[in-house]
Amino acid sequence: MNAINPHIFREYDIRGVAGKDLTESLVFDLGRIFASRLRKELSLVTPPRVAVGRDGRLSSPQLAEKLAAGLAQGGALVDDVGLVPSPGLYFAMHHFKADAGIMITGSHNPPDYNGMKMVKTSRPVYGDQIQELKQALMAEAFEDHPGGAIHKADILDFYLQRLIVDFKPGRRVKVVLDCGNGASGVIAPQLLEKLPGIEGEVLFAEVDGRFPNHHPDPTLPENLHQLRQRMQETGAEIGIAYDGDGDRIGALDHQGKIVWGDRMMILFARQILATRPGATIIGDAKCSQVMFDAIAQAGGNPLMWKTGHSLIKTKMKETGAPLAGEMSGHLFFADRYLGFDDALYATVRLLEIIAQSPATLAERLSDLPEVHATPELRIDCPDEKKFQVMARILQGERDKGSDFSDVDGVRVRCDGGWWLLRVSNTQPALVARVEANTLERLHEIAQEVAALLKPEGVFLPNWE
Ligand SMILES: [Zn+2]
């Protein structure tokens, strides 16, 4: 076996350059190990069932094929659902009552990257579990089992039916969707056709792993230009964009302004809380204070939690939360839906909310206080140092008696705003974000954060 790059085994997934770090033989061996471990873990009499899907990257078909073959050799029954968005794979797990699912996807990373997102119904796959897979792979601890097989299955019709099953039609709404040549393109046009009263068009639905039109990451404003322009040309009142594997949503209002994940959450929370008063609604530590306050005002129980789909899903189960979301556009509905992050389903819910009222998206959020925020600021800090820096800053806030949350890094509430500092899971960096009631306070708070970092020898970048 070739040398394994240990850095591809990350907190929430496995990710690397296809053909270099993530080779066909490595993916095959991971499949064997995953299946045999799953067998043991579940102590099943019959072979475990694993759904496999893939995104539209050029390297994905070969990697998915090898993964399926490896899983079968390790003794799993594989439901290979082919090219689907990540939520389509999660839906397939539900549909086939699979014990686990693996998606070959590079999400929003550059075209030459690819990766594996793994989900088990018994417990989420992240952190130590991924490290254990790495160890087993390095030790070549393979155990093959009989009974494995691969079954190719088409899931898209079932998935589409589930997405639209209880959509409540209302007034006419004109929308533009932008798939960015990502995997959502296999279903977004059909979805748009099936929703009564919703009309519009879909940009870049042709799945193309080279991403020739723009990069499929709706959190970067430069990727929303074409959507904004097409909305203007067609008079659409809302624009919706997806990331490469369709688990994150981005939106533009009728003025072409970005509606971030936490703003969308407010709309969804208000709708859900109307019938489920007191429900817990979860947002990650990057979300605006405006969101947490709006959830409380609407009669909900706002809960701040850690970023990461495995962690969020676990917390949702634990608290019975009907809704959770991340600033980045991962939105999880357990209300009328299955509890995973699905940008296509979020689309259905968003369009339903807009169709139910004469007001536009912007009007429905116009009662919220205006705040100013920095984007997510990446602060270079070596891996061997970042945790100590973080620990000292957290201790400092504790000593000062600050009003803070340490649920994910440290988020400190201060006069007229808050700041967040956390360790990057993926890079030698800290990540910061500041929000304030006024632009002036924003700068002041940012300077306070910079002053905390300076003695540590790390520096807040300029964001303007
Ligand atoms: Zn994604």
Side-chain angles (χ1 to χ4, degrees), residues 107-108 117 243 245-248 330:
S107 189
H108 59 277
K117 262 186 211 174
D243 79 333
D245 65 328
D247 58 5
R248 284 193 295 127
H330 285 280

Side-chain angles (χ1 to χ4, degrees), residues 61-128:
Q62 289 78 12
L63 291 177
E65 198 186 311
K66 293 293 172 190
L67 173 66
L71 286 165
Q73 189 160 326
L77 292 175
V78 179
D79 294 297
D80 178 0
V81 296
L83 176 55
V84 290
S86 290
L89 188 263
Y90 305 149
F91 172 78
M93 283 178 63
H94 168 82
H95 184 80
F96 293 120
K97 299 186 172 57
D99 302 297
I102 304 180
M103 180 78 184
I104 296 285
T105 175
S107 189
H108 59 277
N109 286 273
D112 54 332
Y113 274 69
N114 217 324
M116 287 167 65
K117 262 186 211 174
M118 297 164 283
V119 187
K120 286 182 198 164
T121 48
S122 51
R123 62 179 176 134
V125 184
Y126 71 95
D128 290 348

Side-chain angles (χ1 to χ4, degrees), residues 18-20 22-29 31 52-71 80 82-83 103-105 111-116 150 152 209:
K20 184 169 158 267
L22 206 67
T23 59
E24 292 179 17
S25 73
L26 182 133
V27 169
F28 177 80
D29 288 339
V52 170
R54 63 171 175 90
D55 72 11
R57 284 167 187 263
L58 303 181
S59 58
S60 293
Q62 289 78 12
L63 291 177
E65 198 186 311
K66 293 293 172 190
L67 173 66
L71 286 165
D80 178 0
L83 176 55
M103 180 78 184
I104 296 285
T105 175
D112 54 332
Y113 274 69
N114 217 324
M116 287 167 65
I150 301 169
K152 294 222 186 249

